[in-house]
Amino acid sequence: MTHSSAQNQQEVKQIFTDFLEKKQMRKTQERFAILEEIYNIEHFDAYSLYVNMKEKNYRVSRATVYNTLELLIECGLVKRHHFGANFSVYEKAYQYRQHDHLVCIECKQIFEFCDPRLQNIQQMVEDIYKFDIAYHTLVFRGICEACEQKKAASANTTPQIPSDA
Ligand SMILES: [Zn+2]
Ligand SMILES: [Zn+2]
Protein backbone atom coordinates (compact mmCIF):
# COMPACT_ATOMS: atom_id res chain seq x y z
CA MET A 1 0.00 0.00 0.00
CA THR A 2 1.36 3.39 -0.88
CA HIS A 3 1.34 6.14 1.60
CA SER A 4 0.64 9.40 -0.15
CA SER A 5 3.34 11.97 0.32
CA ALA A 6 0.84 14.63 1.37
CA GLN A 7 -0.38 12.36 4.13
CA ASN A 8 3.22 11.64 5.04
CA GLN A 9 4.00 15.34 5.26
CA GLN A 10 1.08 15.77 7.67
CA GLU A 11 2.24 12.93 9.87
CA VAL A 12 5.86 13.99 10.05
CA LYS A 13 4.78 17.53 10.87
CA GLN A 14 2.70 16.16 13.73
CA ILE A 15 5.58 14.06 15.07
CA PHE A 16 7.93 17.03 14.94
CA THR A 17 5.33 19.29 16.59
CA ASP A 18 4.85 16.83 19.47
CA PHE A 19 8.60 16.44 19.84
CA LEU A 20 9.24 20.18 19.99
CA GLU A 21 6.43 20.67 22.47
CA LYS A 22 7.76 17.92 24.69
CA LYS A 23 11.20 19.53 24.63
CA GLN A 24 9.62 22.92 25.13
CA MET A 25 11.31 24.26 22.05
CA ARG A 26 9.95 26.87 19.70
CA LYS A 27 7.95 25.67 16.72
CA THR A 28 9.48 28.06 14.23
CA GLN A 29 8.52 28.33 10.58
CA GLU A 30 12.14 27.74 9.60
CA ARG A 31 12.26 24.37 11.33
CA PHE A 32 9.11 23.21 9.56
CA ALA A 33 10.31 24.53 6.22
CA ILE A 34 13.49 22.47 6.63
CA LEU A 35 11.46 19.38 7.49
CA GLU A 36 9.23 19.86 4.45
CA GLU A 37 12.19 20.34 2.14
CA ILE A 38 13.84 17.16 3.43
CA TYR A 39 10.72 15.12 2.75
CA ASN A 40 10.73 16.28 -0.86
CA ILE A 41 14.28 15.20 -1.60
CA GLU A 42 16.46 12.12 -1.57
CA HIS A 43 19.88 11.82 0.07
CA PHE A 44 21.50 15.13 0.80
CA ASP A 45 24.35 16.65 2.72
CA ALA A 46 23.80 19.39 5.25
CA TYR A 47 25.57 22.08 3.30
CA SER A 48 23.70 21.56 0.03
CA LEU A 49 20.42 21.50 1.91
CA TYR A 50 21.31 24.91 3.26
CA VAL A 51 22.34 26.21 -0.17
CA ASN A 52 19.16 24.84 -1.79
CA MET A 53 16.98 26.54 0.76
CA LYS A 54 18.82 29.81 0.32
CA GLU A 55 18.26 29.57 -3.42
CA LYS A 56 14.56 29.08 -2.80
CA ASN A 57 14.61 32.26 -0.73
CA TYR A 58 13.97 30.68 2.62
CA ARG A 59 15.33 32.79 5.43
CA VAL A 60 17.34 30.14 7.21
CA SER A 61 20.78 30.35 8.71
CA ARG A 62 23.34 27.60 8.44
CA ALA A 63 23.14 27.10 12.20
CA THR A 64 19.38 26.59 12.02
CA VAL A 65 19.77 23.99 9.30
CA TYR A 66 22.39 22.08 11.28
CA ASN A 67 20.50 22.33 14.58
CA THR A 68 17.24 21.27 13.01
CA LEU A 69 18.93 18.26 11.43
CA GLU A 70 20.11 17.16 14.86
CA LEU A 71 16.59 17.50 16.25
CA LEU A 72 15.12 15.55 13.34
CA ILE A 73 17.60 12.75 13.91
CA GLU A 74 16.75 12.73 17.59
CA CYS A 75 13.03 12.29 16.92
CA GLY A 76 13.63 9.64 14.27
CA LEU A 77 12.48 11.57 11.21
CA VAL A 78 15.91 11.76 9.62
CA LYS A 79 18.75 9.29 9.34
CA ARG A 80 22.41 10.13 8.98
CA HIS A 81 24.77 7.84 7.10
CA HIS A 82 28.52 8.04 7.38
CA PHE A 83 29.71 6.96 3.98
CA GLY A 84 33.33 7.90 4.56
CA ALA A 85 35.61 10.44 6.16
CA ASN A 86 33.95 13.84 5.77
CA PHE A 87 31.20 12.23 3.76
CA SER A 88 27.93 12.11 5.65
CA VAL A 89 24.55 12.17 4.02
CA TYR A 90 21.09 12.44 5.47
CA GLU A 91 17.75 11.16 4.32
CA LYS A 92 14.15 11.08 5.44
CA ALA A 93 13.36 8.13 7.66
CA TYR A 94 9.64 8.10 8.34
CA GLN A 95 7.64 5.42 6.50
CA TYR A 96 10.59 4.95 4.24
CA ARG A 97 11.25 1.43 3.06
CA GLN A 98 14.21 -0.46 4.47
CA HIS A 99 16.96 -0.22 1.90
CA ASP A 100 20.70 -0.35 1.49
CA HIS A 101 23.15 1.77 -0.41
CA LEU A 102 25.63 1.68 -3.23
CA VAL A 103 28.10 4.54 -3.09
CA CYS A 104 30.23 5.50 -6.09
CA ILE A 105 33.75 6.34 -4.97
CA GLU A 106 34.31 8.43 -8.11
CA CYS A 107 31.29 10.74 -8.34
CA LYS A 108 29.96 10.17 -4.80
CA GLN A 109 26.53 9.39 -6.15
CA ILE A 110 24.32 7.24 -3.96
CA PHE A 111 22.02 4.53 -5.22
CA GLU A 112 19.48 2.61 -3.21
CA PHE A 113 18.63 -1.02 -3.49
CA CYS A 114 16.33 -3.34 -1.67
CA ASP A 115 16.73 -7.10 -1.62
CA PRO A 116 14.41 -9.26 0.47
CA ARG A 117 17.15 -11.88 0.76
CA LEU A 118 18.95 -9.54 3.14
CA GLN A 119 15.95 -9.70 5.42
CA ASN A 120 16.23 -13.49 5.35
CA ILE A 121 19.88 -13.27 6.35
CA GLN A 122 18.95 -10.93 9.17
CA GLN A 123 16.33 -13.39 10.37
CA MET A 124 18.84 -16.23 10.23
CA VAL A 125 21.40 -14.27 12.22
CA GLU A 126 18.78 -13.46 14.84
CA ASP A 127 17.97 -17.15 15.22
CA ILE A 128 21.57 -18.32 15.36
CA TYR A 129 22.86 -15.69 17.77
CA LYS A 130 19.62 -15.18 19.70
CA PHE A 131 20.07 -11.52 18.97
CA ASP A 132 17.20 -9.12 18.49
CA ILE A 133 18.28 -6.99 15.53
CA ALA A 134 16.80 -3.50 15.44
CA TYR A 135 18.27 -2.44 12.12
CA HIS A 136 21.25 -2.95 9.88
CA THR A 137 23.36 -0.84 7.60
CA LEU A 138 25.01 -2.15 4.49
CA VAL A 139 27.01 -0.10 2.06
CA PHE A 140 28.66 -1.29 -1.12
CA ARG A 141 31.34 1.03 -2.45
CA GLY A 142 32.54 0.97 -6.00
CA ILE A 143 32.27 2.56 -9.42
CA CYS A 144 28.88 3.37 -10.92
CA GLU A 145 27.96 2.56 -14.51
CA ALA A 146 28.33 6.15 -15.72
CA CYS A 147 31.81 6.48 -14.22
CA GLU A 148 32.78 3.08 -15.57
CA GLN A 149 31.75 4.18 -19.07
CA LYS A 150 33.62 7.45 -18.73
CA LYS A 151 36.73 5.52 -17.76
CA ALA A 152 36.37 3.13 -20.68
CA ALA A 153 35.85 6.03 -23.08
CA SER A 154 38.97 7.85 -21.93
CA ALA A 155 41.00 4.64 -22.11
CA ASN A 156 39.90 4.12 -25.72
CA THR A 157 40.95 7.50 -26.99
CA THR A 158 44.52 7.47 -28.25
CA PRO A 159 46.68 9.82 -26.26
CA GLN A 160 47.42 13.12 -27.96
CA ILE A 161 51.05 13.48 -28.91
CA PRO A 162 52.12 17.03 -28.19
CA SER A 163 53.72 18.66 -31.21
CA ASP A 164 56.24 21.43 -30.80
CA ALA A 165 56.10 22.30 -34.48
ZN1 LIG B 1 30.04 7.41 -10.32
ZN1 LIG C 1 18.82 5.80 1.23
Side-chain angles (χ1 to χ4, degrees), residues 20-32:
L20 292 173
E21 278 172 4
K22 218 168 132 192
K23 295 203 88 170
Q24 298 189 314
M25 294 179 85
R26 293 201 304 136
K27 291 171 276 177
T28 60
Q29 269 187 16
E30 291 82 8
R31 283 181 176 147
F32 285 93

PDB file of all heavy atoms in Angstrom, residues 20-32:
ATOM      1  N   LEU A  20       8.812  18.841  19.574  1.00  0.00           N
ATOM      2  CA  LEU A  20       9.243  20.184  19.990  1.00  0.00           C
ATOM      3  C   LEU A  20       8.492  20.641  21.243  1.00  0.00           C
ATOM      4  O   LEU A  20       9.063  21.267  22.132  1.00  0.00           O
ATOM      5  CB  LEU A  20       9.059  21.194  18.847  1.00  0.00           C
ATOM      6  CG  LEU A  20       9.985  21.012  17.638  1.00  0.00           C
ATOM      7  CD1 LEU A  20       9.583  21.962  16.513  1.00  0.00           C
ATOM      8  CD2 LEU A  20      11.450  21.232  17.995  1.00  0.00           C
ATOM      9  N   GLU A  21       7.222  20.293  21.303  1.00  0.00           N
ATOM     10  CA  GLU A  21       6.429  20.670  22.475  1.00  0.00           C
ATOM     11  C   GLU A  21       6.950  19.981  23.730  1.00  0.00           C
ATOM     12  O   GLU A  21       7.094  20.589  24.779  1.00  0.00           O
ATOM     13  CB  GLU A  21       4.949  20.322  22.252  1.00  0.00           C
ATOM     14  CG  GLU A  21       4.232  21.384  21.449  1.00  0.00           C
ATOM     15  CD  GLU A  21       2.814  20.991  21.052  1.00  0.00           C
ATOM     16  OE1 GLU A  21       2.340  19.908  21.462  1.00  0.00           O
ATOM     17  OE2 GLU A  21       2.194  21.772  20.298  1.00  0.00           O
ATOM     18  N   LYS A  22       7.248  18.704  23.562  1.00  0.00           N
ATOM     19  CA  LYS A  22       7.760  17.921  24.686  1.00  0.00           C
ATOM     20  C   LYS A  22       9.082  18.500  25.194  1.00  0.00           C
ATOM     21  O   LYS A  22       9.359  18.519  26.394  1.00  0.00           O
ATOM     22  CB  LYS A  22       7.961  16.475  24.229  1.00  0.00           C
ATOM     23  CG  LYS A  22       7.587  15.453  25.303  1.00  0.00           C
ATOM     24  CD  LYS A  22       7.535  14.058  24.697  1.00  0.00           C
ATOM     25  CE  LYS A  22       8.303  13.060  25.548  1.00  0.00           C
ATOM     26  NZ  LYS A  22       8.493  11.797  24.819  1.00  0.00           N
ATOM     27  N   LYS A  23       9.905  18.955  24.255  1.00  0.00           N
ATOM     28  CA  LYS A  23      11.199  19.526  24.631  1.00  0.00           C
ATOM     29  C   LYS A  23      11.087  21.004  24.995  1.00  0.00           C
ATOM     30  O   LYS A  23      12.077  21.650  25.290  1.00  0.00           O
ATOM     31  CB  LYS A  23      12.195  19.360  23.477  1.00  0.00           C
ATOM     32  CG  LYS A  23      12.533  17.924  23.169  1.00  0.00           C
ATOM     33  CD  LYS A  23      13.862  17.799  22.467  1.00  0.00           C
ATOM     34  CE  LYS A  23      14.966  17.698  23.479  1.00  0.00           C
ATOM     35  NZ  LYS A  23      16.270  17.354  23.032  1.00  0.00           N
ATOM     36  N   GLN A  24       9.877  21.503  24.886  1.00  0.00           N
ATOM     37  CA  GLN A  24       9.615  22.923  25.135  1.00  0.00           C
ATOM     38  C   GLN A  24      10.500  23.814  24.270  1.00  0.00           C
ATOM     39  O   GLN A  24      11.110  24.774  24.741  1.00  0.00           O
ATOM     40  CB  GLN A  24       9.790  23.241  26.618  1.00  0.00           C
ATOM     41  CG  GLN A  24       8.797  22.454  27.469  1.00  0.00           C
ATOM     42  CD  GLN A  24       8.789  22.886  28.924  1.00  0.00           C
ATOM     43  OE1 GLN A  24       9.847  23.056  29.520  1.00  0.00           O
ATOM     44  NE2 GLN A  24       7.615  23.069  29.481  1.00  0.00           N
ATOM     45  N   MET A  25      10.543  23.458  23.007  1.00  0.00           N
ATOM     46  CA  MET A  25      11.313  24.258  22.050  1.00  0.00           C
ATOM     47  C   MET A  25      10.342  24.987  21.136  1.00  0.00           C
ATOM     48  O   MET A  25       9.204  24.555  20.954  1.00  0.00           O
ATOM     49  CB  MET A  25      12.241  23.355  21.244  1.00  0.00           C
ATOM     50  CG  MET A  25      13.307  22.719  22.106  1.00  0.00           C
ATOM     51  SD  MET A  25      14.381  21.638  21.146  1.00  0.00           S
ATOM     52  CE  MET A  25      15.546  22.827  20.519  1.00  0.00           C
ATOM     53  N   ARG A  26      10.825  26.059  20.551  1.00  0.00           N
ATOM     54  CA  ARG A  26       9.952  26.870  19.704  1.00  0.00           C
ATOM     55  C   ARG A  26       9.642  26.172  18.376  1.00  0.00           C
ATOM     56  O   ARG A  26      10.512  25.602  17.743  1.00  0.00           O
ATOM     57  CB  ARG A  26      10.597  28.233  19.458  1.00  0.00           C
ATOM     58  CG  ARG A  26      10.689  29.057  20.733  1.00  0.00           C
ATOM     59  CD  ARG A  26      10.841  30.521  20.422  1.00  0.00           C
ATOM     60  NE  ARG A  26      12.004  30.744  19.561  1.00  0.00           N
ATOM     61  CZ  ARG A  26      12.006  31.544  18.505  1.00  0.00           C
ATOM     62  NH1 ARG A  26      10.905  32.177  18.155  1.00  0.00           N
ATOM     63  NH2 ARG A  26      13.103  31.721  17.804  1.00  0.00           N
ATOM     64  N   LYS A  27       8.364  26.271  17.984  1.00  0.00           N
ATOM     65  CA  LYS A  27       7.952  25.674  16.715  1.00  0.00           C
ATOM     66  C   LYS A  27       8.054  26.742  15.630  1.00  0.00           C
ATOM     67  O   LYS A  27       7.075  27.325  15.210  1.00  0.00           O
ATOM     68  CB  LYS A  27       6.521  25.141  16.831  1.00  0.00           C
ATOM     69  CG  LYS A  27       6.415  23.933  17.745  1.00  0.00           C
ATOM     70  CD  LYS A  27       4.978  23.574  18.020  1.00  0.00           C
ATOM     71  CE  LYS A  27       4.423  24.394  19.151  1.00  0.00           C
ATOM     72  NZ  LYS A  27       2.999  24.141  19.414  1.00  0.00           N
ATOM     73  N   THR A  28       9.266  26.986  15.200  1.00  0.00           N
ATOM     74  CA  THR A  28       9.480  28.062  14.234  1.00  0.00           C
ATOM     75  C   THR A  28       9.168  27.609  12.810  1.00  0.00           C
ATOM     76  O   THR A  28       9.265  26.433  12.475  1.00  0.00           O
ATOM     77  CB  THR A  28      10.943  28.542  14.280  1.00  0.00           C
ATOM     78  OG1 THR A  28      11.790  27.432  13.954  1.00  0.00           O
ATOM     79  CG2 THR A  28      11.323  29.055  15.661  1.00  0.00           C
ATOM     80  N   GLN A  29       8.793  28.586  12.002  1.00  0.00           N
ATOM     81  CA  GLN A  29       8.517  28.331  10.581  1.00  0.00           C
ATOM     82  C   GLN A  29       9.719  27.713   9.882  1.00  0.00           C
ATOM     83  O   GLN A  29       9.578  26.839   9.036  1.00  0.00           O
ATOM     84  CB  GLN A  29       8.224  29.667   9.891  1.00  0.00           C
ATOM     85  CG  GLN A  29       6.766  30.041   9.896  1.00  0.00           C
ATOM     86  CD  GLN A  29       6.519  31.275   9.045  1.00  0.00           C
ATOM     87  OE1 GLN A  29       7.370  31.652   8.237  1.00  0.00           O
ATOM     88  NE2 GLN A  29       5.370  31.887   9.225  1.00  0.00           N
ATOM     89  N   GLU A  30      10.907  28.215  10.246  1.00  0.00           N
ATOM     90  CA  GLU A  30      12.138  27.738   9.602  1.00  0.00           C
ATOM     91  C   GLU A  30      12.308  26.238   9.809  1.00  0.00           C
ATOM     92  O   GLU A  30      12.627  25.513   8.877  1.00  0.00           O
ATOM     93  CB  GLU A  30      13.373  28.469  10.158  1.00  0.00           C
ATOM     94  CG  GLU A  30      13.475  29.926   9.788  1.00  0.00           C
ATOM     95  CD  GLU A  30      12.627  30.835  10.671  1.00  0.00           C
ATOM     96  OE1 GLU A  30      12.076  30.343  11.683  1.00  0.00           O
ATOM     97  OE2 GLU A  30      12.514  32.031  10.344  1.00  0.00           O
ATOM     98  N   ARG A  31      12.092  25.805  11.041  1.00  0.00           N
ATOM     99  CA  ARG A  31      12.263  24.375  11.333  1.00  0.00           C
ATOM    100  C   ARG A  31      11.319  23.528  10.484  1.00  0.00           C
ATOM    101  O   ARG A  31      11.711  22.480   9.974  1.00  0.00           O
ATOM    102  CB  ARG A  31      12.013  24.109  12.822  1.00  0.00           C
ATOM    103  CG  ARG A  31      13.184  24.531  13.675  1.00  0.00           C
ATOM    104  CD  ARG A  31      12.959  24.255  15.138  1.00  0.00           C
ATOM    105  NE  ARG A  31      14.159  24.585  15.893  1.00  0.00           N
ATOM    106  CZ  ARG A  31      14.149  25.056  17.139  1.00  0.00           C
ATOM    107  NH1 ARG A  31      13.022  25.233  17.780  1.00  0.00           N
ATOM    108  NH2 ARG A  31      15.289  25.333  17.743  1.00  0.00           N
ATOM    109  N   PHE A  32      10.077  23.985  10.336  1.00  0.00           N
ATOM    110  CA  PHE A  32       9.113  23.213   9.558  1.00  0.00           C
ATOM    111  C   PHE A  32       9.382  23.294   8.053  1.00  0.00           C
ATOM    112  O   PHE A  32       9.114  22.340   7.320  1.00  0.00           O
ATOM    113  CB  PHE A  32       7.679  23.625   9.916  1.00  0.00           C
ATOM    114  CG  PHE A  32       7.266  23.062  11.250  1.00  0.00           C
ATOM    115  CD1 PHE A  32       7.437  23.797  12.415  1.00  0.00           C
ATOM    116  CD2 PHE A  32       6.763  21.769  11.336  1.00  0.00           C
ATOM    117  CE1 PHE A  32       7.097  23.255  13.651  1.00  0.00           C
ATOM    118  CE2 PHE A  32       6.421  21.221  12.564  1.00  0.00           C
ATOM    119  CZ  PHE A  32       6.586  21.964  13.731  1.00  0.00           C
TER     120      PHE A  32
END
